[in-house]
Amino acid sequence: MTMLILRVALNSPLRSLFDYLPPDNYAPGLFAPGQRLQVPFGKSSVRTGIIISIADTTQVAKHKLKKALALLDETPLFPARHLKLIEWASHYYHHPLGDVVFTSIPSSLRKGKAAKLKQEVIWRLTTHGKTYQGKLDPDELSRAKKQLAIFQFIKQHQNGVSQTHIKDKFENARTPLKELSLKNLIEKTTAATEKPDESVSCQNDNAWTLKPNREQQNAIDHIINASTAYHAFLLNGVTGSGKTEVYLHLIRHILVSGKQVLVLIPEIGLTPQFIDRIRQRFGDNFVALHSGLSEAERLISWLKARDGTASVVLGTRSAIWTPMPKLGMIIIDEEHDLSYKQQDGLRYSARDLALIRGQKEKIPVVLGSATPSMESMKNARDGRYHELLLSKRVSNAQLPDIQIHDVRNEKMHGAISQYLLKNIEQRLHNKQQTLLFLNRRGYAPVIMCHDCGFISQCPRCHVYMTFHKHKNRLQCHHCGHSERLPNACPDCSGNQLIDVGHGTERLEETLAELLPAAKILRIDRDSTRRKGSMQKMLEDIHAGDADILIGTQMLAKGHHFPDVTLVGIVDADRGLFSVDYRASERMAQILMQVSGRAGRGESPGTVIVQTHYPEHPLLNKLALHDYDQFTELLLEERQQTQLPPYSFQVLIRAEANQQAVAMSFLNIARTRLQSLARGKLEIYGPVTAPMEKRAGRYRLQLIIQAGNRQTMKKFLTPWIENLEKLPEARRVRWSVDVDPQDMI
Ligand code: ADP
Ligand code: ZN
């Protein structure tokens, strides 16, 4: 007799799968990979697992083999080819399959909740309602304006509208709904989900008034012509060149062919604006997946995508894992953005996974950016990506004039040079907006004692604590530790504590003193903590209810502020000199993005970059808006130093309460890898991480570098499996980061 063995992934750091016998009372044909099972684990615990494969043999001894308790899903959570993507990620990132599968699904499914949409109340027209002509019978509906509006809203949706949807749209809808149904114009049914209406999804022609310009049309045509196979496109378009408009046309094309589109956007800032534009074009035929959703909302969106009822899925990083049965295209906006890389747990890059997913599903992948990553620029140069240029701003709006401003020896008002101040005043006078960019929140990055030189350092991390004046507290931006500002120096009891340097909070204070009449809005993580506050500030900006915007990188991305004509980069120097070789790439990207905020409307823009190094070659390429030339310089540098994208890196980090413990683990690890790879890999370290200590733990790292991915993988797979078995591995927290983006 053959056995039926269910091979199950559990949410655990263990690499192996677990074999179970099927639960009692289930026919053998019911099981398939991708279904969840409830299984006994250890002595008395019950866990949720996912079937990865079905086998007829097992290595587990008969008396140890346990029975699963129950099958949680009739149908798999995702199709088999989606499981292939998950398996790929597990191999590529050297991460346990169980953890990858569980990372990839919404948390309520991890906990075993049902993967089914609840029945919803759906309202639709009755036969009488369908033939009813509101105008023929003036008395009946014309007095009840809300009834008429709701009636017409339902009429627009052939398949009916859910009650939730109606209540979202109309306040106090209960009574009018009741009245309408009493009049026998509408009736209630229930369904698992409101079926989006094909007719409103794409042919909302009023919303398609913009005619694509030549470059946009060229990009659209190219991509559409290749939309039945895998192709990677790099849509390289300066800010304001109409990339989003291109995406919208592509989405329309894919929807018309009956397929779904996945659109990824960076984590912060962009979501509401993007959602509005999508809604305007495609009605409610989309779902959003981002960190602002509740668990229940997330599950509903995920299920609609998975069931194919939502045609467009718009989401941040983790949306790359959404199963979509009819996926026809993936679009990644701002592909260079760091938020696509997860920095803990499964350290995946959603952008890189999107390309793999595109290959597996044989669909095009569109990467868009005004400042593509060096990886993508190189791929375009090597012909792996098809590059499509949008070189001009829409309606020929001028690119801003970028001035590299030497602040050496100049009179400063806090962080603002006399020159920048004069320019701000002039904008105020002309009723135009200024945006000041400073990527450092809080009041001052350091508090120092004038008597003894004491500096406020986080007791748990190797970083200075930022002074937040408003709260009168010192805060560590790495671990969240916070304490009251001491009255006197903790070291020498002196009372001359001075705040050094400038954060956004201080910049706001400085400007309020210099320009008391100006309306200043500060937009950073502190000022936007409350739900809806970001949206409110954006509205104020658009209504002209702000003169000066002060922002961190939250403000740099994607926003469109037509009245901003001056952008000030308060401190450009930090990006030029850093231990992280990617810092100059990031500086360039932020500079170009922030500059892109200037002069998007009628008036041309100016960007003033404050620096102590006005001759720096990279800055000067940027001043010419020459991201291509900048790329050229930077890629040359990377090639000479054999850094990515000219090599591949894996970072192994170990953290422990004692430095020696982490060191000894990494030393053993290094020795093992050396004897495995015999010179085929370069191994650097162990060295202390740039941030030596974080949240009380010492941090050390090993960097492994190879000329190609295959070599890397060949040695790393057996090595990492081996490391897991080391007793030393249990005494440290360690992680594997493939293609690390952040070495700090
Ligand atoms: P990007 O995504 O490249 O920053 P957007 O797509 O947001 O650019 O376009 C910038 C602005 O130009 C938007 O207000 C958009 O509505 C407008 N726009 C885009 N394409 C066109 C076009 N072909 N004709 C007129 N206006 C356009
Ligand atoms: Zn800290």
Side-chain angles (χ1 to χ4, degrees):
M1 208 183 85
T2 58
M3 276 203 291
L4 179 68
I5 299 292
L6 304 174
R7 213 147 264 173
V8 175
L10 294 179
N11 195 2
S12 97
L14 295 169
R15 239 157 244 277
S16 52
L17 296 178
F18 298 83
D19 289 358
Y20 286 91
L21 290 166
D24 287 330
N25 307 324
Y26 282 93
L30 286 178
F31 301 99
Q35 288 168 327
R36 287 171 304 160
L37 272 184
Q38 223 167 38
V39 295
F41 191 75
K43 284 223 170 64
S44 57
S45 86
V46 173
R47 297 244 194 138
T48 305
I50 293 185
I51 304 176
I52 299 298
S53 62
I54 296 170
D56 50 16
T57 57
T58 176
Q59 309 280 329
V60 182
K62 217 169 187 177
H63 67 283
K64 283 195 175 164
L65 202 56
K66 290 187 192 166
K67 261 186 207 167
L69 303 170
L71 181 65
L72 295 178
D73 300 301
E74 276 170 39
T75 51
L77 287 183
F78 33 67
R81 70 166 183 281
H82 191 75
L83 197 53
K84 290 264 177 300
L85 179 72
I86 290 171
E87 284 172 330
W88 185 92
S90 165
H91 287 141
Y92 185 74
Y93 293 110
H94 301 281
H95 201 81
L97 182 60
D99 205 48
V100 181
V101 186
F102 279 89
T103 301
S104 80
I105 59 176
S107 57
S108 39
L109 294 181
R110 276 175 232 159
K111 295 178 193 154
K113 293 239 170 76
K116 247 194 199 145
L117 288 166
K118 286 212 187 76
Q119 292 282 311
E120 273 194 285
V121 174
I122 305 280
W123 288 98
R124 63 177 185 204
L125 300 194
T126 57
T127 334
H128 171 55
K130 280 182 191 154
T131 51
Y132 176 78
Q133 304 282 327
K135 276 184 206 140
L136 294 181
D137 200 347
D139 280 357
E140 224 178 315
L141 278 181
S142 59
R143 267 175 295 138
K145 281 220 177 86
K146 187 175 268 168
Q147 279 183 44
L148 185 62
I150 293 179
F151 176 73
Q152 272 163 352
F153 181 63
I154 297 173
K155 194 172 177 175
Q156 281 163 16
H157 296 76
Q158 296 157 356
N159 300 322
V161 194
S162 73
Q163 181 150 300
T164 341
H165 189 172
I166 296 171
K167 287 187 170 170
D168 273 355
K169 207 117 190 169
F170 302 93
E171 272 173 47
N172 307 319
R174 182 185 289 270
T175 322
L177 282 172
K178 209 163 133 197
E179 299 277 325
L180 285 167
S181 88
L182 283 175
K183 287 176 186 147
N184 190 28
L185 290 170
I186 60 171
E187 63 188 359
K188 247 196 241 190
T189 58
T190 54
T193 176
E194 169 187 324
K195 279 216 192 75
D197 240 318
E198 310 300 326
S199 63
V200 288
S201 60
C202 326
Q203 278 125 28
N204 189 358
D205 281 330
N206 297 341
W208 295 93
T209 49
L210 303 178
K211 189 172 156 19
N213 63 29
R214 211 171 42 81
E215 285 184 325
Q216 284 173 317
Q217 194 60 53
N218 173 52
I220 295 166
D221 293 345
H222 254 96
I223 299 170
I224 286 179
N225 282 337
S227 65
T228 53
Y230 167 73
H231 280 282
F233 295 95
L234 178 62
L235 184 63
N236 183 355
V238 295
T239 50
S241 59
K243 291 184 292 297
T244 312
E245 198 59 32
V246 170
Y247 304 149
L248 294 169
H249 280 269
L250 295 173
I251 295 170
R252 172 150 86 158
H253 175 83
I254 300 291
L255 297 204
V256 167
S257 70
K259 300 205 185 117
Q260 296 171 289
V261 184
L262 174 61
V263 185
L264 296 186
I265 53 177
E267 208 119 82
I268 43 174
L270 282 161
T271 326
Q273 286 180 331
F274 216 118
I275 289 181
D276 286 348
R277 280 173 86 172
I278 299 243
R279 195 193 300 276
Q280 204 189 2
R281 304 296 171 92
F282 304 106
D284 292 298
N285 201 358
F286 76 96
V287 292
L289 282 168
H290 54 83
S291 55
L293 299 181
S294 70
E295 238 179 64
E297 289 169 326
R298 174 171 286 271
L299 179 62
I300 292 173
S301 297
W302 190 90
L303 288 170
K304 286 184 173 173
R306 196 275 313 259
D307 295 343
T309 46
S311 302
V312 183
V313 174
L314 177 68
T316 48
R317 179 178 66 229
S318 64
I320 188 60
W321 299 112
T322 321
M324 295 168 70
K326 301 178 289 181
L327 188 60
M329 181 181 286
I330 306 177
I331 296 171
I332 302 174
D333 189 30
E334 313 281 0
E335 66 85 25
H336 64 278
D337 197 276
L338 250 191
S339 71
Y340 288 125
K341 176 85 196 234
Q342 174 139 316
Q343 304 285 14
D344 54 14
L346 169 62
R347 293 167 162 79
Y348 66 97
S349 153
R351 178 199 59 203
D352 297 349
L353 274 180
L355 291 154
I356 298 299
R357 190 166 178 183
Q359 286 168 21
K360 291 195 181 303
E361 308 216 11
K362 304 190 174 55
I363 54 167
V365 179
V366 180
L367 310 177
S369 177
T371 52
S373 62
M374 291 304 124
E375 280 78 6
S376 297
M377 289 298 269
K378 178 168 183 293
N379 278 328
R381 272 157 210 220
D382 295 349
R384 268 194 294 275
Y385 297 172
H386 187 128
E387 187 173 4
L388 297 161
L389 286 175
L390 302 181
S391 59
K392 285 190 288 292
R393 285 184 149 189
V394 170
S395 67
N396 287 325
Q398 295 281 305
L399 282 168
D401 171 30
I402 300 183
Q403 304 175 3
I404 305 293
H405 181 67
D406 184 358
V407 294
R408 283 173 303 182
N409 298 319
E410 194 183 330
K411 176 175 161 53
M412 300 293 282
H413 308 268
I416 304 285
S417 64
Q418 178 67 23
Y419 179 72
L420 180 54
L421 180 63
K422 267 176 65 187
N423 274 273
I424 300 173
E425 282 170 339
Q426 192 205 340
R427 295 310 187 289
L428 277 176
H429 183 78
N430 296 341
K431 306 244 180 307
Q432 292 166 341
Q433 289 173 333
T434 295
L435 188 163
L436 296 175
F437 176 77
L438 180 60
N439 209 10
R440 205 191 274 138
R441 65 199 170 88
Y443 188 81
V446 175
I447 290 287
M448 194 170 81
C449 171
H450 186 60
D451 296 337
C452 75
F454 162 86
I455 285 179
S456 56
Q457 200 168 24
C458 173
R460 312 169 67 211
C461 305
H462 190 78
V463 292
Y464 302 135
M465 282 198 288
T466 303
F467 175 42
H468 288 252
K469 189 174 185 181
H470 174 71
K471 295 191 197 127
N472 200 36
R473 293 184 82 82
L474 296 173
Q475 260 181 29
C476 170
H477 287 180
H478 287 281
C479 73
H481 171 86
S482 128
E483 54 190 64
R484 270 185 69 87
L485 180 73
N487 292 324
C489 171
D491 265 13
C492 75
S493 307
N495 57 4
Q496 297 200 69
L497 287 177
I498 45 180
D499 33 47
V500 185
H502 302 264
T504 47
E505 206 185 316
R506 181 177 216 162
L507 188 58
E508 183 182 17
E509 185 185 277
T510 310
L511 283 163
E513 277 164 19
L514 291 168
L515 306 165
K519 272 190 228 139
I520 303 172
L521 268 191
R522 171 165 61 90
I523 300 183
D524 55 26
R525 249 200 297 153
D526 298 316
S527 71
T528 55
R529 205 148 276 174
R530 255 183 310 119
K531 206 176 169 188
S533 51
M534 176 81 175
Q535 188 62 17
K536 167 84 175 64
M537 285 202 244
L538 292 177
E539 280 161 20
D540 286 351
I541 297 171
H542 286 287
D545 229 6
D547 301 313
I548 301 174
L549 325 175
I550 296 175
T552 54
Q553 59 171 343
M554 277 183 90
L555 211 54
K557 296 179 184 176
H559 299 293
H560 184 55
F561 303 130
D563 296 334
V564 168
T565 59
L566 172 65
V567 168
I569 311 281
V570 176
D571 177 8
D573 295 341
R574 278 209 310 170
L576 293 174
F577 308 96
S578 166
V579 286
D580 185 351
Y581 73 91
R582 290 180 200 270
S584 39
E585 176 180 346
R586 305 246 176 276
M587 186 264 309
Q589 285 161 347
I590 285 189
L591 204 151
M592 298 313 276
Q593 298 281 338
V594 179
S595 312
R597 305 303 121 213
R600 302 241 287 187
E602 305 282 296
S603 337
T606 301
V607 180
I608 296 175
V609 182
Q610 299 195 134
T611 176
H612 293 84
Y613 306 91
E615 270 88 50
H616 201 290
L618 292 177
L619 272 186
N620 284 284
K621 291 291 178 226
L622 295 176
L624 300 173
H625 292 282
D626 208 334
Y627 192 73
D628 251 18
Q629 284 273 325
F630 169 86
T631 305
E632 199 76 34
L633 270 184
L634 206 55
L635 281 181
E636 219 167 88
E637 219 178 278
R638 299 263 184 100
Q639 185 164 26
Q640 275 162 14
T641 46
Q642 280 302 297
L643 284 166
Y646 292 90
S647 63
F648 299 92
Q649 290 185 335
V650 169
L651 179 85
I652 309 287
R653 178 172 294 133
E655 300 185 2
N657 291 331
Q658 287 153 325
Q659 194 160 17
V661 173
M663 182 62 100
S664 109
F665 168 70
L666 288 180
N667 271 324
I668 296 172
R670 183 193 165 99
T671 315
R672 301 249 163 152
L673 186 58
Q674 270 169 332
S675 64
L676 261 176
R678 295 172 188 278
K680 300 244 171 53
L681 296 176
E682 282 167 77
I683 311 171
Y684 304 101
V687 291
T688 50
M691 194 197 299
E692 279 174 45
K693 199 178 164 199
R694 180 167 180 170
R697 274 191 296 272
Y698 289 91
R699 310 163 80 240
L700 286 93
Q701 62 196 27
L702 206 57
I703 293 174
I704 301 148
Q705 197 169 300
N708 66 65
R709 291 185 204 276
Q710 285 68 34
T711 315
M712 184 72 99
K713 224 165 159 179
K714 184 171 149 206
F715 298 112
L716 250 61
T717 308
W719 178 59
I720 288 169
E721 275 170 21
N722 191 275
L723 288 186
E724 274 172 347
K725 300 191 184 110
L726 287 177
E728 286 82 358
R730 251 161 260 144
R731 295 200 283 145
V732 297
R733 261 205 207 183
W734 64 288
S735 60
V736 182
D737 190 350
V738 178
D739 308 325
Q741 291 288 313
D742 188 351
M743 307 282 205
I744 303 298

